[in-house]
Amino acid sequence: VELSVRFHPDEKRIYELHQRIGADYANKVIRPAARSQVRVVIAQYPVSDVYAAQRENIERKIEDALRKSLESN
């Protein structure tokens, strides 16, 4: 499974990311969160659905789960 994540940190709070996590926040926070949410969501489906029937639904679920995960950090 391949995944691309486009993100845009809140410009009013970007300084918090740099203070708390550092400039490498994408590798320290975004990438691990994305991998984790992909595993959680995909585990709910049979392989055939991941690559065909439920692909769009799975993409939405991953996006929603990742958004919630990142907003809570």
Side-chain angles (χ1 to χ4, degrees):
V1 174
E2 263 187 53
L3 172 73
S4 295
V5 176
R6 289 184 281 163
F7 61 95
H8 182 75
D10 182 349
E11 61 188 46
K12 294 176 184 171
R13 297 181 62 201
I14 191 85
Y15 72 93
E16 290 179 32
L17 278 174
H18 285 269
Q19 286 178 341
R20 286 184 22 218
I21 300 163
D24 196 26
Y25 62 86
N27 287 321
K28 292 180 180 177
V29 176
I30 307 292
R31 183 172 286 156
R35 286 180 178 162
S36 174
Q37 294 307 320
V38 165
R39 279 190 226 111
V40 168
V41 172
I42 287 181
Q44 300 171 20
Y45 295 90
V47 173
S48 59
D49 285 351
V50 172
Y51 291 103
Q54 294 292 324
R55 183 176 177 165
E56 289 181 19
N57 187 37
I58 291 169
E59 288 174 2
R60 272 193 303 278
K61 284 188 173 189
I62 291 170
E63 180 180 352
D64 292 345
L66 183 55
R67 188 179 305 273
K68 287 178 187 174
S69 173
L70 293 174
E71 286 175 350
S72 68
N73 287 325

